[in-house]
Amino acid sequence: MSQHDPVPADLTEPGGLASAEAARRLARDGPNELPAERVRRFWPVLREVLREPMLLLLVAAGTLYLMLGEPADALMLLGFVFVVIGITVVQERRTERALSALRQLSSPRALVLRDGVPRRIPGREVVEGDVVIVAEGDRVPADALLRRASQLAVDESLLTGESVPVAKRPSLDASRMDQPGGDGLPSLFSGSLVTSGHGVCEVLRTGTRTEVGRIGTAIQSITSETTPLQAETRRIVRRLAAVGGVACAIVVVVYALTRGGDWLAWKQGGLAGIAMAMAILPEEFPVVLTVFLALGAWRISRSHVLTRRMPAIETLGAATVLCVDKTGTLTLNQMSVTALEPAEGGAEGPPLSAALSTASRELLRLAALASRADPVDPMDRAAHEAAATAGLDLPGLGARCVREYPLTPEFPATTYAWRLEGREAVLLASKGAPEAIGRLCRLPDAEAAALLVRVDALAARGWRVLAVAQLEVSPAACPAHPLDLVFHLAGLVAFADPLRPEVPATVAQCHEAGIRVAMITGDYPATARQIAAQAGIRDPSRVLTGQQLEQVPDAELVECIRGTHVFARMAPQQKLRLVRALKEAGEVVAMTGDGVNDGPALKAAHIGIAMGGRGTDVARECASLVLLNDDFPSIVAAIRLGRRIYDNIRKAIAFILAVHVPIAGLSMIPVFFPSWPLLLLPVHIVFLELIIDPACSLVFEAEAEEEDVMRRPPRGRSERLFSRATVLVALLQGLSVLVACSAIVVLASRAHSPDEARAMSFAALVLSIIVVILINRSWSRSTMSMLREPNRALWWVVGGTAVFLGLALFTPAGRAVFSFAALDAGDLGLSLLAGLACLAWFELLKRSRWWRFRINGGRAR
């Protein structure tokens, strides 16, 4: 069998493996995957956690209590270390489970024969003996021997380092694998990329027994990518940790000197200094980003969008242009033959009648013969289904096909050579773009123009139009390329692919959100124009073709595309040029693609979105997101979720900044006023951290999106998470709480003991933190309206805080641990009033237009 033999239609004769046998082999050999990442045990987690500055400060405070002869306080503080470690482990496991689920979703898929039926399964379920069908753009799922092939070439640079693809020759006799890099050999290796052609192979080795698996056994862990936002927050935490260390030393010295400098003063100063350092350090930032991004990716996956690169989540909310394909994204990708126009006249449809004319039957027969015998392309399938419905006999289909001329960017048409039964002649059937078929038939200018007029009339109805041509030659006259011969035009075939019903509403939603929708298709301009009009894309009459794009100089391209939303007859390299031009124009570009050649454009876009259903492995690997169901509304759902995630991260960051201001203030102010008692000791800081940590990483992460999340423009690319508005509001909230708590201390110091003043200020601080949580759930809606919005994590945090605060205030053991005195109802009422009143101004600010303008990055809604 020669290298150019096509994949026969009777491939399914062997039937592949039975499902039961495949399951038995999967249980015997294990999944077809590289060694899984080892689950980190307790001690490595402990070592990592203890490197955090906050935990070091807790250990230092506990040690200091032991040195001062206060074992109860020391044991309680050190006990909190284990509590924090437990919280960290739970959060890490939760994050790892989300990431593990995403890795499972991103597992490469394989098309195998099971029980005689082609099935698309995860690559990890491929077993020894499986019959696998591979095609251009696929990754080979396991080490296998090629049994049938058509023009198959494979890139084995993953194993050899050589980027030049090697041709593969099928063999029915080979029984063992060769070395990678062999040209003309039947061996296919796991992870290699099919660059052209298609074929059928038999799996010999899976999992760690493959060539790439042997390499993978040495790799037991994958280093997670650190996003720019994570790097920025870690730098801030390190700098504030340094500031906290300096402040700690200053507090120790100042407190001791202002209290007489005896041992008790140094003891109290040491505790005050440690509390001060703990109060300044916002160690929650890295936790927030890790949890929000990981769980955000998991939430997006529930909308059938897989996140392959975490930074894409940060970018989603800033997308200004959404470049989408037509077929399968805006439309249902359910092609059907809707009209036939033979070259000699007598157009039929729609709808097509049951009894076709002789000319229409021959045109439909040629269209089916110009399609793959095992169709994957929707129009190939539609041609075969229409031919079967018409009861057409297709002699020689499959086993009689002697040569295939695949579609190329230079000649967008497919041609198949068929040996006719009982005759020596070979029938060449070609189907493709009308311009290409016109060149193939060498039509005179007048006839070519007339053909395009007929195409325009069909395309204006939103149909995809292909031309069909044929030629009979002797076997010896089969050309190296179809253009070497002159074909005869058979006619035009129109295909209908209905628009998805939900697309117009989704496009309108994008426009309301300030996102420009651009349709990029390889289809005919008139078809693109009609579909764009049905979808509601702006200015559909203005269409720019790939050929016109090539004629525009780079200096003028940005201006040329500024008001264009429909791009037709676009080749992959033209998509890349378009993406670069949009980026140069200052747009944040989200781009969809499915083919091998779409890879560069997907990689160049800020957010590359690969089609998970019909997309190739190459497209998925180049993309940031994978659209699992090829559904356009899923993209918009991902953008909505991306905006929600960014909003919630901003709320959590503002909350962290806000609560650290009063904690730091109440830790430092008593140092400079000898008459004031120490208000916050390390044990108090730990209690507050047990509120702050779950609040910022659970409550705000679970918060639903704002009502106007898709009614406002995208955030600017230069907009920072730590924006002036965010930091200013956080500081004002924190200062308000600090003022209220300080006022409580001043009032309490006149008629109450130091322990009573400490208890009142602490109660006011805890209640204020709960209020800060409540008001920051939304920066546009009132707190009272938000109380009606469900958020389970919120009520767990609030309820748990109320219980522990009650234990600290109302039980003798709690008061002893926290150095509190008993409070009466009036004292508690005063603390509650201070906690509620200190942030009333923010509720009024939410209603102002100025505030809505500021939180939107200085852009009008």
Side-chain angles (χ1 to χ4, degrees):
M1 182 176 291
S2 72
Q3 178 184 343
H4 299 292
D5 285 340
V7 177
D10 60 355
L11 271 179
T12 56
E13 271 187 16
L17 293 177
S19 296
E21 176 62 18
R24 189 186 70 80
R25 296 188 183 190
L26 183 63
R28 181 193 68 190
D29 300 333
N32 175 40
E33 59 187 2
L34 298 182
E37 180 179 354
R38 290 178 181 172
V39 177
R40 293 199 299 169
R41 299 187 183 276
F42 174 77
W43 292 111
V45 173
L46 176 62
R47 285 195 299 272
E48 182 174 323
V49 171
L50 287 177
R51 293 194 190 106
E52 294 294 327
M54 176 60 72
L55 268 296
L56 293 175
L57 290 171
L58 277 176
V59 173
T63 305
L64 183 57
Y65 271 120
L66 283 175
M67 292 173 61
L68 296 174
E70 299 182 18
D73 292 338
L75 290 176
M76 192 193 69
L77 271 183
L78 295 176
F80 275 124
V81 172
F82 292 101
V83 174
V84 174
I85 290 174
I87 292 174
T88 303
V89 170
V90 169
Q91 288 175 333
E92 181 173 313
R93 292 293 170 84
R94 188 180 180 196
T95 299
E96 284 184 354
R97 284 196 298 268
L99 294 176
S100 176
L102 294 179
R103 282 193 290 268
Q104 293 294 329
L105 285 173
S106 64
S107 173
R109 299 169 306 153
L111 184 62
V112 302
L113 292 178
R114 291 279 174 87
D115 303 316
V117 179
R119 294 182 183 174
R120 185 76 66 174
I121 65 172
R124 68 188 307 273
E125 296 179 10
V126 171
V127 298
E128 179 183 346
D130 257 328
V131 176
V132 180
I133 303 171
V134 293
E136 178 182 341
D138 290 342
R139 289 279 181 188
V140 178
D143 286 2
L145 290 173
L146 190 63
R147 298 310 189 192
R148 290 173 174 51
S150 174
Q151 301 178 351
L152 191 74
V154 179
D155 179 358
E156 295 180 348
S157 59
L158 179 71
L159 297 170
T160 65
E162 297 294 332
S163 59
V164 178
V166 291
K168 294 295 181 179
R169 186 182 300 275
S171 171
L172 297 177
D173 302 322
S175 59
R176 63 181 181 85
M177 300 292 297
D178 301 291
Q179 291 298 314
D183 203 347
L185 298 176
S187 298
L188 299 178
F189 296 93
S190 177
S192 56
L193 170 67
V194 179
T195 58
S196 64
H198 51 268
V200 178
C201 57
E202 178 187 352
V203 174
L204 258 63
R205 302 186 303 214
T206 61
T208 56
R209 295 179 293 121
T210 63
E211 286 291 324
V212 73
R214 293 170 187 171
I215 299 172
T217 53
I219 305 173
Q220 297 295 325
S221 62
I222 299 172
T223 303
S224 300
E225 181 180 1
T226 300
T227 69
L229 194 56
Q230 286 174 316
E232 179 186 356
T233 53
R234 286 176 183 174
R235 284 195 300 271
I236 292 174
V237 169
R238 285 196 296 267
R239 291 172 183 173
L240 289 176
V243 172
V246 173
C248 175
I250 294 173
V251 166
V252 172
V253 174
V254 171
Y255 188 92
L257 293 179
T258 57
R259 265 75 170 180
D262 58 11
W263 171 244
L264 181 61
W266 284 103
K267 164 193 166 182
Q268 295 294 329
L271 293 175
I274 292 175
M276 178 66 194
M278 294 170 68
I280 289 178
L281 182 65
E283 84 292 342
E284 302 90 355
F285 284 164
V287 175
V288 164
L289 293 175
T290 300
V291 171
F292 275 55
L293 293 179
L295 294 182
W298 173 76
R299 289 185 188 280
I300 288 177
S301 72
R302 295 172 69 186
S303 295
H304 307 291
V305 180
L306 167 65
T307 305
R308 289 183 52 86
R309 294 180 178 86
M310 292 297 179
I313 298 175
E314 299 174 23
T315 314
L316 271 173
T320 59
V321 175
L322 184 54
C323 299
V324 295
D325 189 19
K326 176 182 73 68
T327 304
T329 305
L330 297 179
T331 63
L332 291 171
N333 197 23
Q334 296 175 357
M335 285 286 184
S336 61
V337 176
T338 190
L340 298 168
E341 284 201 7
E344 56 265 36
E348 298 196 47
L352 292 177
S353 61
L356 297 174
S357 66
T358 302
S360 294
R361 290 174 63 84
E362 179 61 16
L363 174 59
L364 185 56
R365 173 176 172 271
L366 290 170
L369 291 174
S371 306
R372 284 185 61 171
D374 51 341
V376 176
D377 180 83
M379 284 181 290
D380 285 358
R381 283 201 304 267
H384 277 283
E385 290 169 1
T389 301
L392 294 176
D393 179 29
L394 302 176
L397 186 60
R400 298 277 183 175
C401 181
V402 296
R403 188 157 187 179
E404 172 190 349
Y405 303 90
L407 179 146
T408 64
E410 295 76 23
F411 185 67
T414 56
T415 305
Y416 289 83
W418 302 90
R419 178 68 65 86
L420 300 179
E421 293 181 357
R423 299 171 56 183
E424 289 297 323
V426 171
L427 172 65
L428 296 172
S430 186
K431 169 174 61 65
E435 308 97 302
I437 298 300
R439 288 170 53 204
L440 189 65
C441 297
R442 309 294 197 276
L443 294 179
D445 292 344
E447 292 185 24
L451 177 67
L452 294 182
V453 169
R454 293 164 58 193
V455 170
D456 279 336
L458 294 171
R461 304 178 70 173
W463 298 337
R464 179 81 181 267
V465 184
L466 297 181
V468 179
Q470 59 90 20
L471 180 67
E472 288 190 26
V473 297
S474 66
C478 276
H481 192 281
L483 286 173
D484 294 340
L485 297 175
V486 180
F487 280 58
H488 305 299
L489 180 67
L492 299 174
V493 181
F495 299 83
D497 183 12
L499 194 73
R500 291 181 182 269
E502 64 275 15
V503 163
T506 309
V507 170
Q509 189 178 21
C510 287
H511 292 161
E512 188 177 18
I515 301 171
R516 170 184 169 193
V517 180
M519 186 178 77
I520 303 176
T521 178
D523 214 336
Y524 201 73
T527 304
R529 186 180 297 113
Q530 181 69 17
I531 294 295
Q534 294 176 16
I537 293 175
R538 289 172 179 162
D539 197 8
S541 59
R542 181 175 177 179
V543 180
L544 186 66
T545 66
Q547 185 177 7
Q548 293 169 336
L549 188 73
E550 288 292 336
Q551 297 172 355
V552 178
D554 290 340
E556 302 174 11
L557 185 57
V558 170
E559 190 60 35
C560 177
I561 65 173
R562 195 175 297 278
T564 304
H565 302 87
V566 183
F567 301 87
R569 279 291 188 255
M570 297 288 290
Q573 63 271 21
Q574 293 162 347
K575 292 183 182 180
L576 175 60
R577 187 168 180 237
L578 178 61
V579 167
R580 287 174 172 168
L582 288 169
K583 290 172 68 177
E584 187 179 342
E587 305 281 6
V588 178
V589 183
M591 173 80 187
T592 67
D594 56 7
V596 176
N597 291 333
D598 287 333
L602 291 173
K603 203 165 187 179
H606 295 106
I607 309 166
I609 305 172
M611 300 295 106
R614 68 180 189 275
T616 61
D617 287 343
V618 174
R620 288 190 286 270
E621 288 178 8
C622 290
S624 305
L625 304 174
V626 178
L627 200 62
L628 299 178
N629 59 358
D630 296 1
D631 188 11
F632 175 61
S634 294
I635 304 176
V636 181
I639 292 176
R640 172 188 291 272
L641 280 169
R643 291 188 175 191
R644 165 190 167 177
I645 291 166
Y646 186 86
D647 282 352
N648 288 346
I649 290 177
R650 183 172 60 175
K651 294 172 186 176
I653 294 296
F655 165 75
I656 294 169
L657 289 174
V659 298
H660 275 275
V661 170
I663 295 174
L666 293 177
S667 300
M668 178 176 285
I669 291 176
V671 173
F672 301 97
F673 294 92
S675 62
W676 281 34
L678 287 178
L679 299 175
L680 294 181
L681 300 174
V683 65
H684 302 131
I685 304 296
V686 172
F687 180 93
L688 296 172
E689 289 297 331
L690 294 180
I691 305 173
I692 298 170
D693 277 347
C696 63
S697 61
L698 298 179
V699 174
F700 290 108
E701 193 283 327
E703 198 61 54
E705 67 268 13
E706 299 282 357
E707 289 181 336
D708 65 343
V709 70
M710 293 299 285
R711 296 199 302 270
R712 64 189 188 217
R715 62 182 173 86
R717 289 185 61 191
S718 60
E719 183 178 331
R720 300 176 65 85
L721 189 62
F722 296 92
S723 65
R724 291 182 180 179
T726 301
V727 174
L728 178 61
V729 167
L731 291 178
L732 288 176
Q733 289 179 357
L735 289 172
S736 300
V737 174
L738 178 59
V739 169
C741 292
S742 299
I744 290 291
V745 176
V746 172
L747 293 175
S749 62
R750 297 176 181 176
H752 296 75
S753 68
D755 287 351
E756 288 175 326
R758 183 182 296 113
M760 290 177 65
S761 65
F762 187 78
L765 177 60
V766 171
L767 293 171
S768 298
I769 289 175
I770 293 176
V771 172
V772 172
I773 295 173
L774 294 174
I775 66 171
N776 279 309
R777 288 183 64 195
S778 174
W779 283 8
S780 58
R781 300 173 62 189
S782 70
T783 301
M784 293 304 296
S785 67
M786 290 300 296
L787 288 176
R788 295 191 292 269
E789 297 292 331
N791 188 324
R792 274 192 193 175
L794 169 68
W795 299 118
W796 278 106
V797 170
V798 172
T801 301
V803 170
F804 283 108
L805 181 60
L807 292 174
L809 292 175
F810 302 122
T811 64
R815 289 197 295 267
V817 169
F818 285 89
S819 301
F820 290 161
L823 300 179
D824 58 30
D827 296 335
L828 285 175
L830 183 61
S831 297
L832 178 61
L833 180 63
L836 293 175
C838 64
L839 293 165
W841 62 268
F842 190 63
E843 285 299 305
L844 299 175
L845 183 63
K846 287 181 183 180
R847 302 184 181 185
S848 70
R849 290 187 177 181
W850 175 87
W851 171 244
R852 292 175 179 270
F853 182 75
R854 293 305 304 170
I855 64 171
N856 195 39
R859 298 178 302 277
R861 293 188 187 277

